[in-house]
Amino acid sequence: MNLDGRKYVIIIVTLLVGIIYSIRLFYMQVVDETWTLRAQEIAEKRKEITPPRGVLFDRNKKKIVSNRTYFNLMMKESEMKNFDTVAFAKLIGWTREEVRERFKEIVKGEGTYRNKHTGKRSSNYQKIRAYPFLKEMTLEEIATIAAHLEDFPGFYEEVTSMRSYPYANGANIVGYLSEVYREEIDEDRFYKPGNNMGRAGLERFYEKELRGRKGIKYIVTSALNNAIESYADGKYDTIAKQGPPLNLGIDIILQAYGEKLLANKRGCIVAIEPATGEILALVSAPTYDPNLFIGKRNISKNYPTLLLDPSKPLYPRPLAAEYPPGSTFKLLNSLIGLQEGVITSESGFPCNKSVVGCHNHPSAGNLADAIKHSCNPYFYAVTRRIIQQNKEKSVFVDAEIGLNLWAKYMHSFGLGQNLETDITGLRPGSIPDANYYDKWYGHHRWAFSTIRSISIGQGEVMLTPLQMANVAAIIANRGWYYTPHFVKSIGQDGPLEQFKKKHYSLVDAKHYSVIVEGMRRVVHEPGGTGRRAKLNDIIVCGKTGTVQNPHGEDHSVFVAFAPMYKPKIAIAVFIENAKGGGGLWAAPTAGLMIEKYLTRKIMEKDREKIILEANFSGIK
Amino acid sequence: MRKGESIVAHFDWTLFVIYIILMIMGLSTVYSTAYNEDHPNFFDFSQKYGKQVIWVGFSLFLGLLVFLIDSDIYRKFSIPIYLFTLVLLVIVLFMPPVNGARAWLGIGTLGIQPAEFAKIGTALLLSRVISSVNIKQQTVKTVLLANSIILIPMALVLLQPDAGTFVVFTSFLFVMYREGITYDPIILKLLNGVPGFKFKETWVGTHFIPLLFVVVFLSLVTLLMSNEMLAFDTFPDLQITGFWVVVLSLSILAILIFLILRFMSSRRDRNRVILIVIIGYILAAGLVSTVNFGFQGLADHQKDRIELFLGLKEDPDGEDYNRNRAMAAVGSGGFLGKGYNKASVSSVESNHVPESETDFIFCPFAEEWGFLGTIILVFLYMFMLLRIIFIAERQRSSFNRIYAYSVAMILFYHFAINIGMNIGFAPVIGIPLPFFSYGGSSMMSFSMMMFILLKLDSQRREDLQ
């Protein structure tokens, strides 16, 4: 037997192991990324630092949404020792059972995951992880507890940031925050459990800007999940960056005043700066205090109550409520009539109450007076001329052409479509066209007489208060508008691109002066329907509206702008079930708003008192 | 020794230098791994690196002593040395257990592990016994004697229990294989006891050791694969159990061997080749099936025990915890590593990899130095092993050669198993990486082993006289 050959067997076995190990090491360390990822999972924890959200300023640099520091009482079971449930319950003012329940809730609330290797399901809860035991406590609340926490190892406080609202106004504008849902976390990797997200209003629309940039700190953690040191001396860390501040066009003083005026009423006020399209105030009544929606505890307490309130305080009426505009709509029909050449500023129509009802006033000999008196038969005649221009023999075909032309004009005023404002929850309103009536009555089976209520802003015409205010702004500008918006600038950047584009109505600028004059007469001349909006040194141009309401009292409407030349404010006021016409309630409200905005003082104290005392809420 | 000739005249500097390099690399890794900010001094004896410096110094001192003693002593005194280590192995069984094993002699950190030194005693005595055997005339007595020398310390080590060292003792089988120790006398005795049988030699007896390794290897692979289930992304319905993977691999291997042998063998041998391959294949498949179905038939707690021993199960909580963490540490090293003292998974501080300065020291090294470091380390060990085999083969006395082979095979086992468990190739059994891991006993015993070899080698010429 040749034993000498056996040394080669041993050498080959040795070399083979060396070679196989080298290949394996090359594969593990250089080729295969699995282990690198696994190592990161094990030891290099990313700690995300959520920056405070961007704050909101009003047009006068008043902070209207800011951040406030809150505290979470954290617990880590692995560090708990000799936990005295009774003493702890006493410390936080709970019962023993409540404390036990909360523990169970935390353990259960963490969900389950499936171990790939064993196939076993187990809770995500880990004793070595920290969980908030009590969330969102104020400094005062934590202060009483913190002093005694050393008796309860495993418990400590952690700072978090939440919203605060120095002015309890504009809840429907700013919206609120609440914790993200599981699906939202899956959709957007920015969010982690416990993070907040904008739920309504500007918080939601500007979520991506306001949330800022998360900071990421890479730390090396030990097997017990304790941070040991920052990874690679912080080379890969990024610093958390707070979202830029939003500078709003809102005047918080005006907003607050508007909310005050509409107390005990249902309705809206929308005020726009015509030259810029910036929304100055957007009042939705009834409203609620945004401070009720700070934090999970408050939301779960207050949200159901507000949601079930029959007066719908959560409903953003100025954006979503679609109302018939009433007589304010006559302004638009006049403009279209002038542009189409079917009337002139000197056209006169008798106040013929046989076609449509009216109140007692002399027949209008010209357009401006017709506006002043808000003469229903006059505008019936005007609109008839627009719709039935006798372009076709058949009255039905003629009406179809006329109505579609009319609708096209209306769309150019931003009606019957969503105004792309920087807020969610908008409704388009409704401008009926031929298709619309074809569905109701059949093709070529309707004419102006069928649809005549559009001439006085009743029936199928629907506008949101935002659209009404925008119409006032278009007239104030004599023919154009910027899409109304809330945010003037995001940090150093100006408004979003879509708010820098001028939109022109299809009515030429020259036709506006007579309408403006009519609106002046409404307020400033005897016999005008809106005389309660009159101010001493400021010429207010307005138009009243009384919307017939088959379900109850009439709605009171007023659109206006002021001053007459170089207007600073365009406004729409809509008060539901106001037991009186536009001149009685909406006009003085608009007048007070204009006065407040332009002079910051209220001279008309009596008027203010009447409005403040009025109660149309149905609740005494 | 000739008069006037230096004591280091025939000293193998190559082996010595590799030994020193490995020791320095080990020291630096221990320093990095166990680094304590409050005690940055390398020579701070309250820290592990400070202690390791002491162990290294002590080992070199022991080495010098070993070197000053005449090499003949080791052969002459191999019986008392062996017996002395056995006595220590017995005494240690009466010591209080540390980490569940009665492996430590002494108090606290000053203790030694007799099992480490038992390897030297066994190597010396085995060398003496085998060198005195006439390989051509082996008897049942000589075979049993040689095997008993290994089996006695193995049994004692298993009682501690110390599975790692137990496995390392099987490295002597390689030495016996190299020296031509066969199990034929025993097999023949049994076979020829049957009337009508009269064999002079058997194939099984002569190739007993390699056969044993093949059987153990196949059984282990089968056991390791028994719980595996292979699934394919492209064929989601197709699932193959680990058992069939092993059988399939065996079949492919058989076909390959058959084809290779067929082309290489002459026409005359062809039938024999077919027969050998078929018989070998059937036997191997039978073995694999027996192991697999035998294992499946076991009760759950018995399975658990086997899986625990194989390192398939670390503890009931963390399935494969240690190996998984260790592999993450090694694999995350990348090509150039994370840099010295930058290990994130395997630093003692983070505690993700247990025993990262002793049994799992390869982890922090691989994490910090990356593939560049590990390939150099593998190369150094390979170079050392081949150098020892080279030294073994140049010995004129068979005692020296057998001893050198023993050292080579012990080191080979430690290298293969220790690194193997860091890369998922070996079950997690705690044995140190020679000259590298923190620990006094292993450092001193490996050093003594090394210096005895160097001494024997430096005096190899005198054996002729």
Side-chain angles (χ1 to χ4, degrees):
Chain A
M1 208 188 311
N2 182 15
L3 290 179
D4 211 37
R6 290 190 172 183
K7 75 178 176 201
Y8 295 112
V9 174
I10 290 178
I11 290 170
I12 286 168
V13 168
T14 309
L15 276 175
L16 214 58
V17 167
I19 291 165
I20 291 172
Y21 278 22
S22 303
I23 294 169
R24 170 70 172 172
L25 282 167
F26 183 76
Y27 177 75
M28 274 180 76
Q29 298 191 287
V30 183
V31 182
D32 192 6
E33 285 294 295
T34 323
W35 296 109
T36 311
L37 297 174
R38 177 84 187 108
Q40 277 167 4
E41 238 173 71
I42 295 170
E44 290 157 26
K45 287 271 158 62
R46 276 162 55 113
K47 195 181 173 200
E48 290 188 341
I49 299 148
T50 312
R53 282 173 81 87
V55 296
L56 274 61
F57 291 100
D58 88 336
R59 67 187 300 110
N60 299 314
K61 283 278 156 206
K62 289 194 171 76
K63 206 183 264 184
I64 57 173
V65 179
S66 66
N67 295 307
R68 207 173 136 183
T69 304
Y70 282 80
F71 299 87
N72 288 341
L73 181 64
M74 307 296 289
M75 56 154 273
K76 210 189 237 184
E77 198 180 333
S78 62
E79 287 171 14
M80 281 163 61
K81 261 179 265 162
N82 309 324
F83 182 66
D84 184 345
T85 318
V86 181
F88 185 74
K90 203 179 152 198
L91 176 66
I92 62 172
W94 285 15
T95 66
R96 228 170 71 185
E97 285 67 39
E98 279 171 331
V99 171
R100 290 219 181 103
E101 277 306 307
R102 177 68 188 138
F103 273 122
K104 276 187 208 156
E105 199 180 298
I106 291 168
V107 175
K108 266 195 200 156
E110 288 307 315
T112 59
Y113 82 104
R114 194 174 150 273
N115 186 318
K116 261 202 283 184
H117 296 289
T118 58
K120 279 181 202 152
R121 280 200 168 278
S122 52
S123 172
N124 248 342
Y125 176 81
Q126 282 185 295
K127 288 181 178 178
I128 53 170
R129 287 225 178 116
Y131 297 94
F133 189 85
L134 292 175
K135 284 184 185 177
E136 299 157 359
M137 309 215 295
T138 62
L139 180 62
E140 296 79 52
E141 285 173 311
I142 193 82
T144 54
I145 297 174
H148 304 282
L149 278 184
E150 57 191 49
D151 300 337
F152 302 97
F155 283 88
Y156 59 95
E157 71 254 37
E158 193 181 81
V159 180
T160 66
S161 159
M162 286 203 295
R163 284 306 204 193
S164 87
Y165 307 94
Y167 299 88
N169 305 108
N172 281 311
I173 302 170
V174 296
Y176 62 95
L177 304 177
S178 78
E179 224 171 279
V180 285
Y181 301 117
R182 189 84 244 162
E183 304 82 58
E184 287 161 341
I185 296 168
D186 295 340
E187 240 171 63
D188 189 340
R189 298 189 53 162
F190 180 90
Y191 301 104
K192 293 279 161 321
N195 281 169
N196 283 326
M197 182 178 189
R199 285 297 168 203
L202 298 178
E203 295 271 28
R204 179 162 157 197
F205 192 91
Y206 289 99
E207 170 68 16
K208 286 214 160 70
E209 286 81 13
L210 287 172
R211 68 188 186 184
R213 204 178 65 201
K214 273 191 181 176
I216 296 162
K217 202 170 154 58
Y218 289 92
I219 41 171
V220 180
T221 58
S222 76
L224 291 176
N225 223 13
N226 298 318
I228 304 171
E229 60 192 10
S230 65
Y231 175 68
D233 296 328
K235 199 163 73 182
Y236 303 108
D237 294 359
T238 51
I239 293 163
K241 203 175 163 209
Q242 185 178 12
L246 297 188
N247 298 306
L248 308 189
I250 291 287
D251 176 4
I252 195 67
I253 303 290
L254 185 66
Q255 175 75 24
Y257 187 64
E259 288 180 17
K260 193 172 138 193
L261 290 176
L262 287 196
N264 302 319
K265 301 165 193 73
R266 295 183 193 179
C268 323
I269 302 172
V270 180
I272 297 172
E273 185 177 65
T276 58
E278 289 162 21
I279 296 170
L280 300 169
L282 187 112
V283 178
S284 181
T287 183
Y288 63 95
D289 184 345
N291 289 298
L292 293 177
F293 279 3
I294 299 176
K296 211 177 181 175
R297 272 193 294 168
N298 279 322
I299 290 174
S300 55
K301 193 174 83 187
N302 298 319
Y303 188 80
T305 326
L306 288 170
L307 191 68
L308 296 173
D309 188 330
S311 65
K312 294 192 194 166
L314 295 178
Y315 181 52
R317 287 161 205 263
L319 311 169
E322 294 166 319
Y323 300 108
S327 300
T328 59
F329 205 58
K330 291 170 182 167
L331 300 172
L332 294 175
N333 283 330
S334 311
L335 285 167
I336 297 166
L338 289 169
Q339 179 71 24
E340 280 295 298
V342 295
I343 58 163
T344 68
S345 58
E346 300 307 320
S347 297
F349 297 97
C351 182
N352 179 359
K353 294 192 182 71
S354 63
V355 280
V356 55
C358 200
H359 53 103
N360 284 321
H361 64 86
S363 281
N366 58 51
L367 182 55
D369 276 345
I371 292 171
K372 179 174 92 177
H373 295 303
S374 193
C375 177
N376 285 344
Y378 186 99
F379 291 99
Y380 172 85
V382 170
T383 312
R384 182 188 188 95
R385 284 197 179 180
I386 299 168
I387 304 296
Q388 310 279 197
Q389 294 194 24
N390 295 323
K391 288 176 181 167
E392 286 287 332
K393 257 190 199 152
S394 158
V395 68
F396 301 110
V397 181
D398 192 41
E400 183 185 11
I401 294 168
L403 183 69
N404 281 340
L405 182 70
W406 175 84
K408 207 174 129 197
Y409 275 107
M410 287 301 175
H411 291 149
S412 78
F413 286 93
L415 309 181
Q417 61 198 27
N418 267 332
L419 285 170
E420 296 300 327
T421 310
D422 48 356
I423 201 160
T424 50
L426 292 158
R427 296 279 304 161
S430 162
I431 293 296
D433 57 9
N435 278 335
Y436 182 92
Y437 288 114
D438 282 352
K439 267 181 210 137
W440 277 93
Y441 303 107
H443 192 51
H444 291 166
R445 300 193 51 181
W446 52 271
F448 176 69
S449 53
T450 330
I451 61 168
R452 63 191 179 202
S453 55
I454 61 167
S455 55
I456 54 169
Q458 292 281 159
E460 293 75 28
V461 175
M462 295 283 193
L463 267 67
T464 64
L466 180 68
Q467 287 170 327
M468 294 180 199
N470 194 39
V471 166
I474 295 169
I475 298 170
N477 286 335
R478 278 69 168 173
W480 58 268
Y481 70 99
Y482 288 116
T483 303
H485 54 276
F486 291 97
V487 174
K488 284 167 74 173
S489 60
I490 304 163
Q492 303 298 319
D493 304 330
L496 298 177
E497 275 312 307
Q498 65 259 39
F499 304 132
K500 293 178 187 162
K501 192 181 167 233
K502 252 186 195 177
H503 301 273
Y504 287 91
S505 74
L506 293 173
V507 177
D508 295 341
K510 63 180 181 208
H511 297 303
Y512 281 88
S513 51
V514 59
I515 305 298
V516 170
E517 171 56 20
M519 289 170 78
R520 188 192 65 79
R521 291 182 193 178
V522 167
V523 179
H524 292 277
E525 284 199 354
T529 54
R531 295 195 42 128
R532 283 189 171 87
K534 190 181 164 190
L535 299 171
N536 281 338
D537 305 322
I538 303 157
I539 302 174
V540 177
C541 302
K543 178 73 194 80
T544 57
T546 304
V547 179
Q548 286 158 24
N549 178 11
H551 310 293
E553 304 280 351
D554 291 348
H555 304 314
S556 174
V557 200
F558 193 71
V559 298
F561 63 87
M564 186 170 173
Y565 301 103
K566 291 189 181 162
K568 291 263 179 292
I569 177 171
I571 191 166
V573 177
F574 197 104
I575 300 174
E576 291 179 33
N577 311 322
K579 290 182 193 144
L584 205 56
W585 300 109
T589 307
L592 290 167
M593 286 293 283
I594 292 168
E595 191 182 10
K596 184 80 179 177
Y597 180 65
L598 294 179
T599 70
R600 280 284 185 263
K601 286 194 295 275
I602 297 297
M603 307 297 282
E604 309 287 346
K605 290 287 179 196
D606 297 342
R607 241 186 242 169
E608 185 185 38
K609 189 162 173 263
I610 292 165
I611 300 292
L612 287 175
E613 283 173 359
N615 185 336
F616 306 131
S617 65
I619 309 156
K620 297 288 167 191
Chain B
M1 201 187 296
R2 288 189 201 103
K3 277 241 162 85
E5 200 171 47
S6 162
I7 194 170
V8 289
H10 302 286
F11 189 71
D12 195 83
W13 286 104
T14 315
L15 185 58
F16 181 73
V17 167
I18 302 170
Y19 160 76
I20 294 293
I21 291 174
L22 283 174
M23 215 151 59
I24 290 168
M25 285 167 76
L27 262 178
S28 88
T29 309
V30 169
Y31 180 66
S32 156
T33 309
Y35 180 73
N36 185 333
E37 269 180 20
D38 302 331
H39 303 271
N41 191 342
F42 187 71
F43 296 100
D44 190 320
F45 299 137
S46 70
Q47 298 303 311
K48 285 201 167 146
Y49 31 91
K51 284 182 188 146
Q52 185 75 341
V53 171
I54 299 179
W55 295 130
V56 166
F58 206 65
S59 299
L60 290 173
F61 174 69
L62 272 179
L64 186 65
L65 284 185
V66 163
F67 212 82
L68 291 174
I69 300 168
D70 188 77
S71 67
D72 214 27
I73 297 288
Y74 301 115
R75 199 177 61 81
K76 281 180 184 156
F77 283 86
S78 56
I79 294 172
I81 294 172
Y82 176 77
L83 288 177
F84 177 66
T85 56
L86 280 193
V87 168
L88 287 182
L89 280 180
V90 173
I91 294 174
V92 85
L93 293 177
F94 297 98
M95 289 291 134
V98 177
N99 292 334
R102 299 172 194 275
W104 291 86
L105 204 61
I107 312 142
T109 48
L110 286 172
I112 58 153
Q113 290 167 289
E116 296 293 335
F117 297 93
K119 289 176 218 161
I120 305 175
T122 309
L124 288 173
L125 187 61
L126 192 70
S127 305
R128 177 166 168 179
V129 169
I130 295 178
S131 61
S132 65
V133 169
N134 183 346
I135 291 301
K136 300 224 168 88
Q137 289 171 358
Q138 292 180 53
T139 63
V140 175
K141 204 181 130 196
T142 57
V143 176
L144 283 182
L145 184 63
N147 279 286
S148 312
I149 293 167
I150 307 167
L151 286 171
I152 295 167
M154 275 174 93
L156 288 171
V157 163
L158 201 57
L159 284 175
Q160 293 186 356
D162 181 352
T165 312
F166 175 83
V167 172
V168 169
F169 269 92
T170 62
S171 61
F172 290 114
L173 288 173
F174 273 98
V175 181
M176 283 159 68
Y177 167 74
R178 168 68 186 89
E179 292 306 318
I181 297 289
T182 81
Y183 286 70
D184 226 17
I186 300 172
I187 306 263
L188 285 175
K189 185 124 196 162
L190 292 172
L191 265 183
N192 291 342
V194 180
F197 277 32
K198 196 116 183 106
F199 289 99
K200 274 190 178 162
E201 62 166 33
T202 61
W203 189 84
V204 174
T206 332
H207 297 90
F208 187 79
I209 293 170
L211 263 181
L212 189 68
F213 275 102
V214 169
V215 167
V216 170
F217 177 76
L218 275 180
S219 309
L220 277 178
V221 167
T222 312
L223 282 178
L224 288 172
M225 297 290 282
S226 65
N227 281 346
E228 294 287 323
M229 182 72 88
L230 265 79
F232 302 90
D233 287 341
T234 36
F235 307 103
D237 295 332
L238 185 69
Q239 284 194 330
I240 301 178
T241 57
F243 168 67
W244 288 107
V245 174
V246 175
V247 173
L248 206 69
S249 314
L250 268 183
S251 310
I252 294 167
L253 197 70
I255 292 165
L256 279 177
I257 292 173
F258 172 73
L259 289 176
I260 292 167
L261 288 181
R262 210 184 129 89
F263 281 114
M264 286 171 70
S265 59
S266 60
R267 192 176 283 271
R268 197 163 50 91
D269 289 341
R270 212 156 269 181
N271 285 338
R272 233 183 93 198
V273 165
I274 295 171
L275 198 68
I276 288 172
V277 171
I278 290 174
I279 291 173
Y281 176 68
I282 291 170
L283 286 177
L287 170 77
V288 166
S289 309
T290 313
V291 170
N292 181 61
F293 295 114
F295 179 72
Q296 301 293 355
L298 289 177
D300 276 350
H301 71 275
Q302 288 168 318
K303 272 192 196 173
D304 281 353
R305 196 163 290 176
I306 290 173
E307 285 179 342
L308 217 63
F309 179 75
L310 289 176
L312 282 178
K313 236 182 207 164
E314 196 56 32
D315 57 77
D317 291 328
E319 187 185 341
D320 226 3
Y321 176 91
N322 288 355
R323 186 154 52 163
N324 190 294
R325 296 288 159 106
M327 285 171 79
V330 173
S332 67
F335 186 75
L336 289 173
K338 295 178 184 170
Y340 187 62
N341 218 341
K342 293 267 165 50
S344 57
V345 180
S346 52
S347 70
V348 164
E349 239 182 345
S350 72
N351 206 21
H352 290 296
V353 178
E355 303 289 334
S356 58
E357 72 281 6
T358 56
D359 295 345
F360 279 103
I361 194 148
F362 184 71
C363 278
F365 178 80
E367 201 182 348
E368 292 183 350
W369 299 100
F371 178 67
L372 206 64
T374 55
I375 192 74
I376 288 171
L377 191 70
V378 169
F379 174 79
L380 279 172
Y381 274 111
M382 281 295 118
F383 190 41
M384 173 181 251
L385 291 172
L386 294 177
R387 183 73 196 171
I388 297 173
I389 293 171
F390 170 77
I391 289 172
E393 291 296 338
R394 79 179 172 198
Q395 303 302 315
R396 282 159 191 168
S397 107
S398 49
F399 174 82
N400 286 8
R401 184 182 67 238
I402 298 165
Y403 177 77
Y405 261 112
S406 300
V407 174
M409 286 303 103
I410 290 169
L411 291 178
F412 170 66
Y413 257 58
H414 274 267
F415 162 80
I417 293 173
N418 186 289
I419 294 183
M421 70 188 186
N422 281 293
I423 57 177
F425 276 8
V428 178
I429 44 176
I431 57 171
L433 191 59
F435 317 115
F436 218 83
S437 289
Y438 168 79
S441 299
S442 63
M443 183 58 82
M444 288 190 292
S445 69
F446 281 123
S447 295
M448 281 172 71
M449 216 181 264
M450 189 59 81
F451 278 103
I452 293 172
L453 173 67
L454 287 167
K455 179 67 186 175
L456 291 175
D457 178 55
S458 71
Q459 285 186 297
R460 66 186 181 272
R461 277 145 211 270
E462 289 163 35
D463 297 331
L464 287 178
Q465 293 161 1

